[in-house]
Amino acid sequence: MNGRADNGSADNGSAMTERYQGALMNTFGPPQRVLVRGEGVYVWDIDGNRYLDLLGGIAVNALGHAHPAIVNAVTDQLGTLGHISNFFASVPQIALAERLLALVGSPGKVFFTNSGTEANEAAFKATRRTGRTKIVAAQNSFHGRTMGALALTSKKAYREPFEPLPGDVVWVPYGDADALAKAVDDTVAAVILEPIQGEAGVVDPPAGYLKAARDITTAHDALLWIDEIQTGMGRTGAWFAHTGSGIVPDLVTVAKGLGGGIPIGALLALGHAATLLQPGNHGTTFGGNPVATAAALAVIDTIVADDLLANAKEVGDRIRTGLAAHPLVIDVTGEGLLIGIVLAQDVSAALQQSALGAGLIINNPTPNRLRLAPPLILTADEADDAVKTLLTLLDTLTPLDGEAQ
Ligand SMILES: *Cc1c(COP(=O)(O)O)cnc(C)c1O
């Protein structure tokens, strides 16, 4: 079926890529491959090649590809009640909101969206209801591509073509509690932070940073908004990456892994923040859709049933230990199955390309960092295979400076 490598055929990878480029807007650059099928931690391209997926749709495919729990939940829900408007409520929507609040461990209220950036838009609007407008964000942050979330994203290349964006945003160096303390005063509505910076290349804050951020915001009656869109829902071996710091934020945004591949995001507004948005202040047609919320419930149930938080921790550490042994690897970062590999040279793009050729999907967020965010179902054996391949590729890439090898 997919096993052909018939380059003359009209449905091979290069012909399909040409059609893509003829019909799809060029915002992402050329696609790396055209994929036709996925199962577990593997995907197959249209030419029949198999890849071990260590990126998981960018931290989305928590249960891998075509997991029966999601397939069944979506199929059953779609066959029962597929979409309603937010004039009505559905049972999976209510159950998921209760479940998320139980997992975050604090009372609050949930607003469902279809994506990460929309969860951040909802939170951004909630911050405006404090009567203050100033937001403090971190350098190298990523919070999304819509105009509001983009206003909080620090990368100039993303922002500048679209200015003016919503204003009154200041940036501080990530991980620097003193700089944060200096930037926050009684005019600040909120501080937004990723508990680990994902798009920046899996950058960990120093110990105590989130706790300091909580103390600083509390002292000035400002909201602490934790963007868990990449780190949340078990990715780091905990339901949320911030809980290890012992803090309770005011706003928590989640998305990526939440639906295991079905688009859904959420704003969890905790404590007093739960009532900032009032009737008429915000809305969505699709957000909280029965099918998407049923998928998310299936993801959470499976993470619990299969003990995938523990698996994420164990297998993540195994990959870090395996790769840290290579002389070109100068640091390993992240938690659980959100993994950063810091390289001594700017070879991440070359490595990403050679890995793809060797049947491994990895990501190169910066010139000297690799990011891995595989499905939480990744087994130790699959991880060992991947590490072995990566170590071999690192060897071939390593003309160690000044050393005759
Ligand atoms: C991916 C991401 C977003 C944006 O999510 P989309 O679903 O792409 O809109 C926001 N914040 C963080 C931390 C992310 O990783």
Side-chain angles (χ1 to χ4, degrees), residues 115-118 120 142-145 194 199 227 229-230 255-256:
S115 66
T117 201
E118 284 172 273
N120 280 343
F142 182 82
H143 299 298
R145 300 288 205 141
E194 296 160 82
E199 299 301 303
D227 180 342
I229 288 166
Q230 187 154 162
K256 290 194 165 85

